[in-house]
Amino acid sequence: MSDSKQTRPRGFTSDNIAGVSPEVIAAITACASGQALPYGNDELTHTVERQLAEVFEHSVDVFLVSTGSAANALALAAITPPWGSILSHADAHINRDECGAPEFYTAGAKLVQLPGEAGKIDIDALAANATRMVGDIHSIQPSSVSITQATEMGSVYALDEIKAIGRICRSANLPLHMDGARFANALVTLRCSPAEMTWKAGVDLVSFGATKNGTFGVDAVVSFRGDLASTIAFRRKRAGQLSSKMRFMAAQMDGYLRDGVWLRNATHANAMASALAQGLALVPGVKIQQRPEANILFCRLPTSLIRGLLDMGFRFYHDRWEPGIVRFVTSFATTEADVSDLIGAATSLCAPVGSARVPAGAE
Amino acid sequence: MSDSKQTRPRGFTSDNIAGVSPEVIAAITACASGQALPYGNDELTHTVERQLAEVFEHSVDVFLVSTGSAANALALAAITPPWGSILSHADAHINRDECGAPEFYTAGAKLVQLPGEAGKIDIDALAANATRMVGDIHSIQPSSVSITQATEMGSVYALDEIKAIGRICRSANLPLHMDGARFANALVTLRCSPAEMTWKAGVDLVSFGATKNGTFGVDAVVSFRGDLASTIAFRRKRAGQLSSKMRFMAAQMDGYLRDGVWLRNATHANAMASALAQGLALVPGVKIQQRPEANILFCRLPTSLIRGLLDMGFRFYHDRWEPGIVRFVTSFATTEADVSDLIGAATSLCAPVGSARVPAGAE
Amino acid sequence: MSDSKQTRPRGFTSDNIAGVSPEVIAAITACASGQALPYGNDELTHTVERQLAEVFEHSVDVFLVSTGSAANALALAAITPPWGSILSHADAHINRDECGAPEFYTAGAKLVQLPGEAGKIDIDALAANATRMVGDIHSIQPSSVSITQATEMGSVYALDEIKAIGRICRSANLPLHMDGARFANALVTLRCSPAEMTWKAGVDLVSFGATKNGTFGVDAVVSFRGDLASTIAFRRKRAGQLSSKMRFMAAQMDGYLRDGVWLRNATHANAMASALAQGLALVPGVKIQQRPEANILFCRLPTSLIRGLLDMGFRFYHDRWEPGIVRFVTSFATTEADVSDLIGAATSLCAPVGSARVPAGAE
Amino acid sequence: MSDSKQTRPRGFTSDNIAGVSPEVIAAITACASGQALPYGNDELTHTVERQLAEVFEHSVDVFLVSTGSAANALALAAITPPWGSILSHADAHINRDECGAPEFYTAGAKLVQLPGEAGKIDIDALAANATRMVGDIHSIQPSSVSITQATEMGSVYALDEIKAIGRICRSANLPLHMDGARFANALVTLRCSPAEMTWKAGVDLVSFGATKNGTFGVDAVVSFRGDLASTIAFRRKRAGQLSSKMRFMAAQMDGYLRDGVWLRNATHANAMASALAQGLALVPGVKIQQRPEANILFCRLPTSLIRGLLDMGFRFYHDRWEPGIVRFVTSFATTEADVSDLIGAATSLCAPVGSARVPAGAE
């Protein structure tokens, strides 16, 4: 993934290999000089707080942090006691990819891993676990639920699915957290409002991701429950996540939210994944696992094709889930040409030997 | 501290109200597009690692994080078990201003608060506590020492002082951490090399601050002890401090280190504090507490002068230490005009009523 | 389970409903007066340390604690960093029944739940997980392995099985812990030495249970690794588990170990479970799940029989694993008469209506 | 402190070197056989809960634990968030002698050390710290207050003193914890009711000590605030402090409380300390530091006398506070003869050389 000699970026490993939206750079640059109050008492942070209240059509408490893991862990620690459990999908980022950040921030809570198709929590499994061993002094107590939207598998919970989860949570008195590392990607797929996808469906807190979709180092805990504000505030400070020059965190978020940059970016990233799916579906031997609902595409590729693409410099995760399974991730920065290159390469690599010789043997 | 109507910035509360060096913005902008490996596997992060190895003339492990509190807490957690104590000055930032971040990261270690003039640890108190209750099962065990350079009081440990502390640490087998939130400010005062101020004097790990002196969101744990690398790496991830788009953290640090920006910035900030001290010393009723050794000036002001300056829009901390005591902090962005304004305002406020009228009533 | 009106104890829920061996009462009584050094510096504690060194034919560090959960959590915290994982069976007590004690003591490590028949870790699953994601910064790191001997399902690892686990642990550099809440019950089944069942097979630390088998409030962490002594010692104190009048903990253990009380007790408890299995196997409709290898018997009972036994005052866990599955646990205090009562009751409850009347209608 | 050859116990180091009251042994013995529900669901535990409700004339939640440190840490964790501080005397056991148990159980709270004469918190220092930095995101937040009754220095808070502390706590909204490791000793000195010394004076939770005064391994968290019951219950389990054979913990407490054993024991221990003070006061060169208010006596002894007593086998702490300062602790098991022996030994050691010879030169 060197930025050097290749004519075109060939990385599809993750949306975190992308750079940053020009609007974000502009926003940072605009506040580079002058003085501002530190620790979030500046005007730009207040602006972002207002923006997110408008985005969500709800009073919100906003806590800007430097990573999605920090956002998740902070949010979960605010709603899960040390003797509690967090119900999430077994493949959730909080369970697999954060090196125990939730356990650290909660002082030792446990993640209960639920099954479910395509990265989505199975609703029956959730219902069964939501009240499991409640009141049993020997057992960790079900304390919170976390869903990822869009999921790590590239799927998107439908509004009805979120609502069903929300109902279970309310009836079991479990706060519902949404890991929205790819919040915008899911949102544009559902063509609904942020309010509909969150608090109207029963979500209490969101990790509102921005880093994967246009900024370079800011995500936010957005809480609809005012009673959690103090807990989160002190935990953020204590975690070393209260930025002194907060205006630069806010500037990124401002550049991201203003004029719909975030929605445009997500719409584009999703479209690139769709285009990739359409193109690859036509390549002999390629099997699309599931139509991409956000900006992640899982498909099955012949081993020779995987090798061939790697040899040509394309980069993507493969053979981590099961042999032959490949994951391609697009981003706001992926271009149509990037996608065409990949499809073209796959097509040529899969062309029958005979046909490939045709031009050579012409005349 | 609004950036709006005032002709000149009048904030002297802290160096964290400043913006960011143009070189840092340029470095960020330069890497805004293109792809890079995430989580610190990019070339820019490797470059910064090399730069810091050169700066310190030592092999180093570098861990970029988003705040100084995170750097401190990570470093201390790597060298302090949960049943250990961290010996620091009672006024240390880690003790007073991080809402228990060291306690959080260490899983409950204790800060032992040592006395000492001007924010520096008293060497005898350190010696007495370095081996206090060692082996007593009922007592927290002395486990690490942390000094702040420059200190929270604006003083700077001389090399001999650091060496003396280092010797006590070695003889008691205690790792020595330096909170270098204002590392550069101390360094240019001492006119020594980073190596001399750290590992050559017995320091094992440094929180290498950049945010206060020119960047907006990156500090580094720099470790001279290779055996700590793994511990710090996993703890950083778990703390939500492993940035996915790390190149933008690295870019800030690169812009900061390249071409001596960091040293120029610190030299300037210190000079502004000196100029301020010189100017204020001539104002009737003002008493400089100590000649500023870095970019912080403590002085005693008459109540009427404090009130007058605040009324004119100047901002600074006052009456937190004892009545009448004021702290002014300068930064790389403080201009000579900013300083002149403050001195001029103080002078005019302190002019005797009669003398102030003299010109008006002339002739 | 009142001790009041019933002629005979009818509780088979657990071995923790039993009282205490007379030898333990005698030992407590013998040291009731006089003075002794506190915190384990008394002669009786030293005696117990020597006894356990002899029992295990190895130098050991001994830490008496008040519960098995404390022993387990302490042992695991000594060998698992906060970012580590503990590999255990999904049904392990540490995973299901300690309300997160290991997570608390380790400051947030994760339990990886392995499958396996009859409560024993599947060896292939262990091998696959022992090095899973090692070095991947995003993942919790495999750090220790814990097996329960005898298991929660009443089975006993054969020596070869422990050795196989020990080999995997050594090759993956993972310390091996044995939860020996029912250590003695397993030992007498295997007819081997404590050394063979532990360090000779690759075990590093044992939670040496005594409470279930004759004492009322003492278990021990027994460590074969001298390098862990200091860590465990400070953690024990910090956990509020360092008893001031330790001699009374030691007295219990002394009464338990001296003259083979512990082995006699376990032999008896196991025999009672065997007798129960043999008797119940003849009752129509009863299906023994597995020949009991220690003092726990799982069997399948008709619903009507379960109801009937409960109505008669017998107590046992049922329908927690799957419908119709019942667990009976015997102890050192279970008498042959207690067992006969239960078998007799089951037999009479299952007697065909007609046949039951035969005697009555005899001629 | 061997119990071997000396005619009489000569240990005065602490009340934890004593054995146990006969009534406690009797109570243990009485419940040694038979079955009982585990984990505190037995009748004896319920009995103790009722006894303590009667003792305190208040509905209470009772949590039996195996050490005073566990009681303190559990109680404090229930009322102090991780970002909170616990205000206590600098010499408090929780601060000096528990190896960070409160920090462990609270997940990293901080102990703020207050000054005060004779081990009692200075009321003005408490008032000043009770609201210090409240709401300042950078600072640990005052969250709870802990007083020791009787104090580690052997003094006893008067009811008015406790009430004054209680008023400050209520006005600052800080729960008040009492470390009652020597609760009974203080109570009999004040000649008041347990209710008057606790909730009527503003105390929310008590660590009700029994171990030092007659039992061998049980203390209790007694909470007057029903809202804390669930938190404490889960934390106790998680800490490995939920005894399976709880009836034996309860039996100790029952033996201790029944028929006023606890009050008789404390009255006796206090009387022994008074007698010791009276006797030693007459020894030339001895200076009583303060009339003992409980069962602890601090006095100043000539070095030669300290040496002489040690040589004779007497044991006590000396020279830990300042040179020449000695602490003697009596217990329920200290006899008048033990005290006479010590006084006699001191007297003979301090007799002027001449006078010692008088008898020899008589006739």
Side-chain angles (χ1 to χ4, degrees):
Chain A
M1 207 165 306
S2 113
D3 2 342
S4 51
K5 279 149 246 128
Q6 291 168 11
T7 40
R8 201 111 57 199
R10 300 195 158 189
F12 291 86
T13 48
S14 175
D15 27 14
N16 62 26
I17 63 173
V20 61
S21 281
E23 296 86 349
V24 169
I25 293 289
I28 289 268
T29 306
C31 68
S33 62
Q35 293 186 336
L37 287 172
Y39 299 116
N41 295 312
D42 59 291
E43 294 191 3
L44 206 42
T45 299
H46 294 324
T47 297
V48 164
E49 289 164 354
R50 280 192 303 272
Q51 286 169 328
L52 284 167
E54 284 166 26
V55 159
F56 282 102
E57 305 171 59
H58 199 287
S59 65
V60 292
D61 293 299
V62 173
F63 302 89
L64 303 181
V65 293
S66 68
T67 70
S69 292
N72 287 338
L74 260 183
L76 294 170
I79 55 178
T80 315
W83 58 89
S85 64
I86 300 160
L87 310 186
S88 76
H89 194 279
D91 290 335
H93 198 265
I94 57 170
N95 185 47
R96 284 219 191 288
D97 298 305
E98 300 186 353
C99 197
E103 287 91 340
F104 175 40
Y105 277 65
T106 58
K110 202 176 186 101
L111 278 94
V112 169
Q113 306 170 29
L114 302 178
E117 291 296 306
K120 297 186 200 175
I121 290 178
D122 179 82
I123 196 83
D124 294 329
L126 176 62
N129 280 277
T131 56
R132 195 168 172 279
M133 310 298 274
V134 166
D136 183 327
I137 197 70
H138 306 289
S139 173
I140 282 278
Q141 297 293 296
S143 298
S144 59
V145 176
S146 179
I147 57 175
T148 313
Q149 177 79 322
T151 73
E152 292 78 5
M153 304 307 288
S155 64
V156 171
Y157 284 95
L159 287 190
D160 280 352
E161 292 174 316
I162 303 174
K163 283 179 195 164
I165 290 171
R167 276 191 297 271
I168 292 173
C169 289
R170 265 192 306 283
S171 80
N173 202 23
L174 303 180
L176 177 55
H177 167 254
M178 175 178 281
D179 175 357
R182 295 186 180 95
F183 187 94
N185 302 90
L187 188 73
V188 299
T189 293
L190 292 186
R191 298 173 184 275
C192 68
S193 72
E196 288 169 325
M197 199 167 86
T198 57
W199 60 270
K200 288 187 177 176
V203 173
D204 294 288
L205 307 91
V206 178
S207 294
F208 183 78
T211 300
K212 290 178 188 295
N213 191 40
T215 69
F216 57 79
V218 68
D219 286 32
V221 177
V222 175
S223 168
F224 306 118
R225 277 184 44 184
D227 61 315
L228 301 175
S230 171
T231 300
I232 304 175
F234 284 110
R235 288 184 187 274
R236 177 174 62 167
K237 170 65 190 181
R238 185 171 174 78
Q241 279 286 352
L242 180 65
S243 175
S244 58
K245 295 184 176 177
M246 186 73 85
R247 65 172 141 164
F248 293 97
M249 309 280 280
Q252 292 181 62
M253 191 60 89
D254 178 59
Y256 178 71
L257 291 174
R258 196 176 292 272
D259 302 326
V261 168
W262 66 302
L263 298 172
R264 272 206 309 283
N265 279 1
T267 302
H268 176 79
N270 288 7
M272 292 302 97
S274 284
L276 190 55
Q278 285 185 315
L280 287 179
L282 303 176
V283 176
V286 171
K287 184 170 175 339
I288 304 301
Q289 293 296 98
Q290 189 193 344
R291 190 177 58 77
E293 295 177 340
N295 62 324
I296 301 179
L297 171 65
F298 277 89
C299 46
R300 183 178 293 281
L301 263 57
T303 305
S304 60
L305 178 51
I306 292 174
R307 280 293 120 212
L309 289 171
L310 292 172
D311 287 346
M312 294 175 71
F314 291 99
R315 291 292 175 265
F316 45 84
Y317 283 112
H318 58 94
D319 300 293
R320 288 167 63 114
W321 299 269
E322 48 179 291
I325 296 295
V326 165
R327 187 187 84 166
F328 295 107
V329 185
T330 57
S331 80
F332 72 93
T334 306
T335 65
E336 292 183 16
D338 299 341
V339 170
S340 299
D341 274 8
L342 176 54
I343 295 170
T347 306
S348 72
L349 284 164
C350 285
V353 176
S355 70
R357 282 186 184 142
V358 171
E363 266 171 317
Chain B
M1 210 165 304
S2 115
D3 3 342
S4 51
K5 280 150 246 127
Q6 289 165 12
T7 39
R8 201 113 57 199
R10 300 194 158 188
F12 291 86
T13 48
S14 176
D15 27 16
N16 62 26
I17 63 173
V20 59
S21 280
E23 296 87 349
V24 169
I25 292 288
I28 290 268
T29 306
C31 69
S33 63
Q35 294 185 334
L37 287 171
Y39 299 115
N41 296 311
D42 60 290
E43 295 192 2
L44 206 42
T45 299
H46 295 323
T47 298
V48 165
E49 290 163 353
R50 281 192 303 272
Q51 286 169 328
L52 284 167
E54 285 167 25
V55 159
F56 283 101
E57 305 171 61
H58 199 286
S59 65
V60 292
D61 293 298
V62 173
F63 302 89
L64 303 181
V65 292
S66 68
T67 69
S69 291
N72 287 338
L74 260 182
L76 294 170
I79 55 177
T80 316
W83 59 90
S85 63
I86 301 160
L87 310 186
S88 76
H89 194 280
D91 289 334
H93 198 265
I94 57 170
N95 185 46
R96 286 221 191 283
D97 297 305
E98 300 186 353
C99 197
E103 286 90 341
F104 175 41
Y105 277 63
T106 57
K110 201 175 187 103
L111 278 94
V112 169
Q113 305 169 29
L114 301 178
E117 291 295 305
K120 297 186 199 174
I121 291 177
D122 178 82
I123 196 81
D124 294 328
L126 176 62
N129 280 277
T131 56
R132 196 167 171 277
M133 310 297 274
V134 166
D136 182 327
I137 197 69
H138 306 289
S139 174
I140 283 277
Q141 297 293 296
S143 298
S144 60
V145 176
S146 180
I147 56 174
T148 313
Q149 177 77 325
T151 73
E152 292 78 5
M153 303 308 289
S155 63
V156 172
Y157 284 96
L159 287 191
D160 279 351
E161 291 175 316
I162 303 175
K163 282 179 195 163
I165 291 172
R167 274 192 299 271
I168 292 174
C169 288
R170 265 192 306 284
S171 81
N173 202 24
L174 303 179
L176 177 55
H177 166 254
M178 176 179 279
D179 175 357
R182 297 188 179 94
F183 187 93
N185 302 90
L187 188 73
V188 300
T189 293
L190 292 185
R191 298 172 184 274
C192 67
S193 73
E196 288 168 325
M197 198 167 85
T198 57
W199 61 270
K200 287 187 176 174
V203 173
D204 295 287
L205 308 90
V206 178
S207 295
F208 183 78
T211 300
K212 291 179 189 294
N213 190 40
T215 69
F216 57 80
V218 69
D219 286 32
V221 177
V222 176
S223 168
F224 307 117
R225 277 184 44 184
D227 61 316
L228 301 176
S230 172
T231 299
I232 303 176
F234 285 110
R235 288 184 188 272
R236 177 175 63 166
K237 171 65 190 179
R238 185 173 176 76
Q241 280 286 353
L242 181 65
S243 175
S244 59
K245 296 184 176 176
M246 186 73 85
R247 63 170 140 165
F248 293 97
M249 308 280 279
Q252 293 180 60
M253 191 60 89
D254 178 60
Y256 178 71
L257 291 174
R258 196 175 292 272
D259 301 327
V261 168
W262 65 304
L263 299 173
R264 273 206 308 283
N265 280 1
T267 303
H268 176 78
N270 289 6
M272 292 302 96
S274 285
L276 190 54
Q278 286 185 313
L280 288 180
L282 304 176
V283 176
V286 171
K287 184 170 177 336
I288 304 300
Q289 294 294 99
Q290 188 192 346
R291 191 178 55 79
E293 295 176 341
N295 62 324
I296 300 179
L297 170 65
F298 277 88
C299 44
R300 183 179 293 279
L301 264 56
T303 305
S304 59
L305 179 51
I306 293 175
R307 279 294 121 210
L309 289 172
L310 292 172
D311 288 346
M312 293 175 71
F314 290 99
R315 291 291 174 265
F316 45 85
Y317 284 113
H318 58 93
D319 300 293
R320 288 167 65 114
W321 299 269
E322 47 178 292
I325 296 296
V326 165
R327 188 187 82 168
F328 296 106
V329 185
T330 57
S331 81
F332 72 95
T334 305
T335 64
E336 292 183 16
D338 299 340
V339 170
S340 300
D341 274 8
L342 176 55
I343 296 170
T347 306
S348 69
L349 285 165
C350 286
V353 177
S355 70
R357 283 187 183 143
V358 171
E363 265 172 320
Chain C
M1 206 167 306
S2 111
D3 4 342
S4 50
K5 280 147 248 129
Q6 290 166 12
T7 39
R8 201 112 57 200
R10 301 195 157 188
F12 291 86
T13 48
S14 176
D15 27 16
N16 61 27
I17 62 173
V20 61
S21 281
E23 296 87 350
V24 168
I25 292 289
I28 290 268
T29 305
C31 69
S33 62
Q35 294 186 335
L37 286 171
Y39 300 116
N41 295 313
D42 59 290
E43 294 192 3
L44 206 42
T45 300
H46 295 322
T47 297
V48 164
E49 289 163 354
R50 281 192 303 271
Q51 286 170 327
L52 285 167
E54 284 166 26
V55 160
F56 283 101
E57 305 171 58
H58 199 286
S59 65
V60 293
D61 293 299
V62 173
F63 302 89
L64 303 181
V65 293
S66 68
T67 70
S69 291
N72 287 338
L74 260 182
L76 294 169
I79 55 178
T80 316
W83 58 90
S85 63
I86 300 159
L87 310 186
S88 77
H89 194 279
D91 290 334
H93 198 265
I94 56 169
N95 185 47
R96 286 219 191 285
D97 298 305
E98 300 186 353
C99 197
E103 287 90 340
F104 175 42
Y105 277 64
T106 58
K110 202 177 186 101
L111 278 94
V112 169
Q113 306 169 28
L114 302 178
E117 291 295 307
K120 296 186 200 174
I121 291 177
D122 179 83
I123 195 83
D124 294 330
L126 175 63
N129 280 278
T131 57
R132 197 168 171 277
M133 311 296 275
V134 166
D136 183 327
I137 196 70
H138 306 289
S139 175
I140 281 277
Q141 298 293 295
S143 298
S144 59
V145 176
S146 179
I147 58 175
T148 314
Q149 178 78 325
T151 74
E152 292 77 5
M153 304 307 288
S155 63
V156 171
Y157 284 96
L159 286 190
D160 280 352
E161 292 175 316
I162 303 175
K163 283 180 195 163
I165 290 171
R167 275 191 298 271
I168 292 173
C169 289
R170 265 192 305 284
S171 80
N173 202 24
L174 302 181
L176 177 55
H177 167 253
M178 175 179 282
D179 176 357
R182 296 186 180 95
F183 187 93
N185 302 90
L187 188 74
V188 299
T189 292
L190 292 185
R191 297 172 185 276
C192 67
S193 72
E196 287 169 325
M197 198 167 86
T198 58
W199 61 270
K200 287 188 176 174
V203 173
D204 295 288
L205 307 90
V206 178
S207 296
F208 183 78
T211 300
K212 291 179 189 294
N213 191 41
T215 70
F216 57 80
V218 69
D219 286 33
V221 177
V222 176
S223 168
F224 307 117
R225 278 183 46 185
D227 60 317
L228 301 176
S230 172
T231 300
I232 303 175
F234 285 110
R235 289 184 187 274
R236 178 175 60 167
K237 170 66 190 179
R238 185 172 174 77
Q241 279 286 353
L242 180 65
S243 175
S244 58
K245 296 185 176 175
M246 185 73 86
R247 63 171 141 163
F248 293 97
M249 309 280 279
Q252 292 181 61
M253 191 61 91
D254 177 60
Y256 179 70
L257 292 174
R258 196 176 291 271
D259 301 326
V261 168
W262 65 302
L263 299 173
R264 271 205 311 282
N265 279 0
T267 302
H268 176 78
N270 288 6
M272 292 303 96
S274 285
L276 190 55
Q278 285 185 315
L280 288 179
L282 303 177
V283 176
V286 171
K287 186 174 175 333
I288 304 300
Q289 294 296 98
Q290 189 191 344
R291 190 178 56 78
E293 296 176 340
N295 62 324
I296 300 180
L297 171 65
F298 277 89
C299 45
R300 182 179 295 279
L301 263 56
T303 304
S304 59
L305 179 51
I306 293 175
R307 279 295 120 210
L309 289 171
L310 293 172
D311 288 348
M312 293 176 70
F314 291 99
R315 292 292 175 264
F316 44 85
Y317 284 113
H318 58 94
D319 301 292
R320 288 167 65 114
W321 299 268
E322 48 178 293
I325 296 296
V326 165
R327 188 187 83 167
F328 295 107
V329 185
T330 56
S331 79
F332 72 94
T334 305
T335 65
E336 292 183 17
D338 298 340
V339 170
S340 300
D341 273 8
L342 176 55
I343 295 170
T347 306
S348 70
L349 285 164
C350 286
V353 177
S355 71
R357 283 186 184 147
V358 171
E363 259 170 312
Chain D
M1 209 165 306
S2 113
D3 4 343
S4 50
K5 280 153 245 121
Q6 289 165 11
T7 40
R8 201 114 56 199
R10 301 194 158 189
F12 291 86
T13 48
S14 175
D15 26 17
N16 62 26
I17 62 174
V20 59
S21 282
E23 296 86 350
V24 169
I25 292 289
I28 290 268
T29 305
C31 69
S33 62
Q35 294 186 336
L37 287 172
Y39 300 117
N41 296 311
D42 59 290
E43 294 191 3
L44 206 41
T45 301
H46 295 323
T47 297
V48 164
E49 289 163 354
R50 280 192 304 272
Q51 286 169 329
L52 285 167
E54 284 166 26
V55 160
F56 283 101
E57 304 171 59
H58 199 287
S59 65
V60 293
D61 293 298
V62 173
F63 302 89
L64 302 181
V65 293
S66 68
T67 69
S69 292
N72 287 338
L74 260 182
L76 294 170
I79 55 177
T80 316
W83 58 89
S85 64
I86 300 159
L87 311 187
S88 77
H89 193 280
D91 289 334
H93 199 265
I94 57 171
N95 184 47
R96 286 222 192 282
D97 297 305
E98 301 186 353
C99 197
E103 287 90 341
F104 175 41
Y105 276 64
T106 58
K110 202 176 186 101
L111 278 94
V112 169
Q113 305 168 29
L114 301 178
E117 290 296 305
K120 297 186 200 175
I121 292 178
D122 179 84
I123 197 83
D124 294 328
L126 176 62
N129 279 277
T131 56
R132 197 168 170 277
M133 309 299 274
V134 167
D136 184 326
I137 197 70
H138 306 289
S139 174
I140 282 277
Q141 298 292 297
S143 298
S144 60
V145 175
S146 180
I147 57 175
T148 314
Q149 177 79 324
T151 74
E152 292 78 5
M153 303 308 287
S155 62
V156 172
Y157 284 96
L159 287 190
D160 279 352
E161 291 174 318
I162 303 175
K163 283 180 195 163
I165 290 172
R167 275 191 297 272
I168 292 173
C169 289
R170 265 193 305 283
S171 80
N173 203 23
L174 302 180
L176 176 56
H177 167 254
M178 176 179 281
D179 175 356
R182 296 187 179 95
F183 186 94
N185 303 91
L187 188 73
V188 300
T189 293
L190 292 186
R191 299 172 183 274
C192 67
S193 73
E196 287 169 325
M197 199 169 85
T198 58
W199 60 271
K200 287 188 177 174
V203 173
D204 295 288
L205 308 91
V206 177
S207 295
F208 183 79
T211 300
K212 291 180 189 295
N213 190 40
T215 70
F216 57 79
V218 68
D219 286 32
V221 177
V222 175
S223 168
F224 306 116
R225 277 184 45 185
D227 60 316
L228 301 175
S230 172
T231 300
I232 302 175
F234 285 111
R235 288 184 188 273
R236 177 175 62 167
K237 171 66 189 177
R238 186 173 174 76
Q241 280 286 354
L242 181 66
S243 174
S244 59
K245 296 184 176 176
M246 185 74 84
R247 64 171 140 164
F248 294 97
M249 309 279 279
Q252 292 180 63
M253 191 61 90
D254 178 59
Y256 179 70
L257 291 175
R258 195 176 293 271
D259 300 327
V261 169
W262 65 303
L263 299 173
R264 271 204 312 280
N265 280 1
T267 302
H268 176 78
N270 289 6
M272 292 303 98
S274 284
L276 190 54
Q278 287 184 312
L280 288 180
L282 304 176
V283 176
V286 172
K287 185 173 175 334
I288 304 300
Q289 293 296 99
Q290 188 191 344
R291 190 179 55 78
E293 296 177 339
N295 62 323
I296 302 179
L297 170 66
F298 277 90
C299 45
R300 183 179 295 279
L301 263 58
T303 305
S304 59
L305 178 52
I306 294 175
R307 278 296 118 212
L309 289 171
L310 293 171
D311 287 347
M312 294 175 71
F314 291 98
R315 291 291 174 264
F316 45 84
Y317 284 113
H318 58 94
D319 300 292
R320 287 168 64 112
W321 299 268
E322 48 179 292
I325 297 295
V326 166
R327 187 187 83 167
F328 296 106
V329 185
T330 56
S331 79
F332 71 94
T334 305
T335 63
E336 292 184 16
D338 298 341
V339 170
S340 300
D341 273 8
L342 176 54
I343 295 170
T347 306
S348 70
L349 284 164
C350 286
V353 176
S355 70
R357 284 186 185 145
V358 172
E363 266 170 323

